[in-house]
Amino acid sequence: VGMPRVADRVGMPRYVILPLLWLALGCATQPIVEHQTLDLRPGVLEKIAVVPFYPAKDFKGGRNPDRVVTGKVAADLVARFVSEAFTSEGIETIAPNDVVVGFEGIGQVLPRQDPIATAVLAAKQFGATAVVLGSVHRYREREGGALGAQGPASVHFELQMYSAPDGLKIWSARFDHTQIALSTNVFITRRYPDRGTRWLTAADLARWGADVAVQTLPRPLR
């Protein structure tokens, strides 16, 4: 009864209100991570090797030169967060540093941008059933503190998983997010660490993005 009177008072047709509400909710619940699964073979995640990531050609750091993280450092951090996210999900994971040491031990240069060669070597060297490669496109630190930031943290990275040893692409995920204020979209901000009550560092945001990305893996893969 109350809604028609409000609609009439503001001059908005009542039949427009419900679609607008649904549209608002739809926009509010857009996925944080875009992902795609190409193969659902059970057991493919028995043991995965996370290969050190690399900074993409279009990598962007921060605006403040005193707080810029280099592309290599950002790539190493995100790869570590992704590795830890897999481990947290109970998946046996070979960390990026261990992958490097393993390849160096056999005198082999890590072919981090060649998924087939990486998959073959990781299966032979570690018994890996899958390998994860990734690239980091943006890693921008917040400007300000946890309670008040002039500029929010912003992170963009992409992951690809390939089965080993055949090197077939089985899953991909893309995280591209800039933190928003709690008042902007509560449907998103309540998912942040501490439910959006503070401004995150780039590391906080990247770690959260890694967790969300790994959680999109469908159960049949495990």
Side-chain angles (χ1 to χ4, degrees), residues 20 30 32 39 54 58 70 85 89 94 113 116-117 123 175 204:
L20 286 177
Q30 288 296 311
I32 294 296
D39 193 326
Y54 64 92
D58 63 349
T70 66
E89 287 293 301
I94 304 163
Q113 297 186 47
I116 295 178
F175 176 78
D204 292 332

Side-chain angles (χ1 to χ4, degrees), residues 33-36 157-160 171-175 213-214 216:
V33 172
E34 298 175 3
H35 62 96
Q36 182 180 26
F157 63 83
E158 299 181 9
L159 314 173
Q160 296 83 40
W171 175 77
S172 64
R174 177 176 181 269
F175 176 78
V214 169
T216 68

Side-chain angles (χ1 to χ4, degrees), residues 5-205:
R5 288 201 296 269
V6 173
D8 292 341
R9 187 167 63 249
V10 300
M12 180 182 292
R14 69 189 66 178
Y15 58 80
V16 174
I17 293 178
L18 189 57
L20 286 177
L21 288 174
W22 281 111
L23 178 61
L25 287 173
C27 293
T29 55
Q30 288 296 311
I32 294 296
V33 172
E34 298 175 3
H35 62 96
Q36 182 180 26
T37 301
L38 305 175
D39 193 326
L40 295 177
R41 285 177 290 168
V44 72
L45 292 187
E46 183 177 338
K47 181 187 289 187
I48 67 168
V50 177
V51 180
F53 292 2
Y54 64 92
K57 292 181 179 179
D58 63 349
F59 175 81
K60 296 180 179 64
R63 303 184 187 94
N64 186 338
D66 295 329
R67 307 194 70 181
V68 170
V69 175
T70 66
K72 182 182 184 309
V73 171
D76 288 345
L77 284 171
V78 175
R80 193 186 85 205
F81 296 152
V82 169
S83 175
E84 291 171 351
F86 281 118
T87 300
S88 295
E89 287 293 301
I91 300 170
E92 185 175 357
T93 305
I94 304 163
N97 287 344
D98 294 334
V99 172
V100 171
V101 170
F103 281 115
E104 289 178 347
I106 59 173
Q108 175 68 51
V109 176
L110 180 65
R112 69 178 69 189
Q113 297 186 47
D114 185 339
I116 295 178
T118 302
V120 170
L121 288 169
K124 181 178 180 180
Q125 184 71 3
F126 304 104
T129 56
V131 294
V132 173
L133 283 68
S135 57
V136 179
H137 297 256
R138 186 177 64 257
Y139 194 95
R140 190 171 68 220
E141 188 56 89
R142 74 181 182 204
E143 297 177 22
L147 300 181
Q150 293 74 50
S154 182
V155 174
H156 172 195
F157 63 83
E158 299 181 9
L159 314 173
Q160 296 83 40
M161 179 183 290
Y162 302 85
S163 57
D166 51 27
L168 295 177
K169 189 175 182 179
I170 56 177
W171 175 77
S172 64
R174 177 176 181 269
F175 176 78
D176 184 355
H177 191 72
T178 300
Q179 185 179 6
I180 60 176
L182 179 62
S183 59
T184 302
N185 189 327
V186 69
F187 294 95
I188 292 177
T189 56
R190 68 182 180 182
R191 297 178 60 187
Y192 289 152
D194 296 330
R195 300 181 68 82
T197 58
R198 64 183 175 89
W199 290 100
L200 304 175
T201 64
D204 292 332
L205 188 63

Side-chain angles (χ1 to χ4, degrees), residues 202-214:
D204 292 332
L205 188 63
R207 187 187 296 275
W208 175 69
D211 289 340
V212 176
V214 169

